Amino acid sequence: MRYRSLRLLPLLAAVLLLAAHGIPTLAWRGMKMRPLHIEGRYLCDDRGKHVNLHGFGQTYSPWFNEQGKGWGWGYNVEACLEYNKGLIDEIDRRGWKMQWLRLHADPYWSNDPELTRQWHEEHPGENFGEHVIAAFSEQRFRRYLDSLFIPMAQYAIEAGLYVVMRPPGVCPHVISPGDEYQQYLEKVWTIICSDPRLKNNPYVMFELANEPVRMKDGEETCPIFFQKIVDTIRSLGCNNILWVPGLGWQSSYQCYAKSPIRGENIGYAVHCYPGWYGSDSEAEGGSVEQGVVTKGARYEQFAEGWNRQVMPVAEFSPILLTEMDWAPARYNCSWGKATTGVAGAEGFGANFRRIMDETGNVSWMLFTGPEHLARYDDSLPDGDTFLTDPEACPRPIYGWFRHYARKSPIR
């Protein structure tokens, strides 16, 4: 929503009146955003005020945009922009109090279709997952960074959202300092951090990689791997806030307690799903790295796992939680399968919020597809659908985000 100057006057008068009575005010679209930086274990604004952001994510590919129903298939940049800008507009119109956007520079655009075809011929029967970088094209990445990803970042900022950019794809299962994937990340970040629209932009932050799993030569080499990428970025004179991932699909950070990443404006990017850290989930399973699932787990088990795996870095740096959601599996609309439950008892969602609040320096987001958030209607009564069931994430989080925005506005 955009306002002409004269239409802003009544709104401005109301804001000033509320501020004079000590009532927190919310920002509106187009209002100047405050630059952020990191001080100790906190994300702070330019006044030194501690900030925790709450937001959502977008991935720009046909599959993630409603399996081709969003804007079709192919490489239609304008259609992709129109669809995803529209989602930002509609999420705002629906009353979500979002402050940041996780922007995935999806490899759908940077992969060369001919190289992808050749890879399939050379690897019959194998899965060409997002971890495969054999088809990466620097030319295509530069092209779509310029025509798609940066315009989306600029639009999000115009809408009052800080942007956290994530590189194309996910980490291979095993990585190692000096390997091909580290070189790939250095190339991607060199391209991004050399663009004057992103470099030192006070409203743009970088998540260095997505879901590392295991280091070839032991977890102690993880800080070495990512310190090299940080150093490459800083050597370009790029001082944007950097969010460093952990191992175990971004669930394990003990290695950084022993060897923290050196430099300024450094935080850690974490993921959290039902069953991780010993939290409640509808299904048994999970990995040792994530914390083995105990069905029916309560707050104490979840908190113990979080304190063991994430608190070692949360004690000295801020946390940005860049993936999380939950809902009963019957809705087939969420990545995580669990219920909201009750804080202190069984269930994932309510205990998740309690632990984030207790940690105190966690910014977090809802990773549910933005097309769902754009259809949310808080005026509807509780029901048995994904968007009306209080045991699924949208309904409680809609209220939580509004509570956070009233309690601690950052503008």
Side-chain angles (χ1 to χ4, degrees), residues 184-307:
Y184 161 78
L185 289 176
E186 287 187 273
K187 177 181 291 186
V188 167
W189 286 120
T190 295
I191 295 169
I192 291 173
C193 295
S194 298
D195 193 293
R197 293 166 292 182
L198 301 175
K199 178 180 178 180
N200 296 328
N201 186 320
Y203 315 119
V204 176
M205 300 172 270
F206 303 137
E207 182 180 7
L208 298 188
N210 188 70
E211 295 198 337
V213 182
R214 185 168 67 84
M215 302 301 297
K216 179 180 179 181
D217 299 315
E219 67 172 25
E220 64 274 10
T221 63
C222 187
I224 299 172
F225 185 99
F226 285 105
Q227 185 69 59
K228 181 66 163 58
I229 297 170
V230 169
D231 292 345
T232 296
I233 290 173
R234 296 305 192 222
S235 72
L236 299 168
C238 181
N239 297 314
N240 302 59
I241 292 173
L242 306 180
W243 300 99
V244 183
L247 298 176
W249 295 271
Q250 290 184 234
S251 72
S252 179
Y253 294 79
Q254 295 95 323
C255 60
Y256 294 117
K258 300 175 183 177
S259 301
I261 298 296
R262 301 182 304 277
E264 297 182 350
N265 279 335
I266 302 294
Y268 293 86
V270 174
H271 290 179
C272 183
Y273 285 109
W276 295 26
Y277 312 104
S279 62
D280 192 13
S281 173
E282 286 193 354
E284 301 282 0
S287 71
V288 173
E289 295 98 333
Q290 295 162 338
V292 178
V293 174
T294 304
K295 193 172 182 179
R298 302 170 72 92
Y299 161 80
E300 291 79 10
Q301 293 151 294
F302 191 173
E304 180 182 358
W306 176 268
N307 290 340

Side-chain angles (χ1 to χ4, degrees), residues 172 174-184 186 215-216 225:
V174 179
I175 57 177
S176 178
D179 69 5
E180 185 180 16
Y181 196 75
Q182 187 187 53
Q183 295 170 27
Y184 161 78
E186 287 187 273
M215 302 301 297
K216 179 180 179 181
F225 185 99

Side-chain angles (χ1 to χ4, degrees), residues 69-89:
K69 297 177 183 177
W71 51 271
W73 299 88
Y75 298 97
N76 188 333
V77 170
E78 291 305 316
C80 182
L81 285 169
E82 181 180 4
Y83 170 78
N84 284 286
K85 288 179 179 180
L87 288 180
I88 291 176
D89 293 342

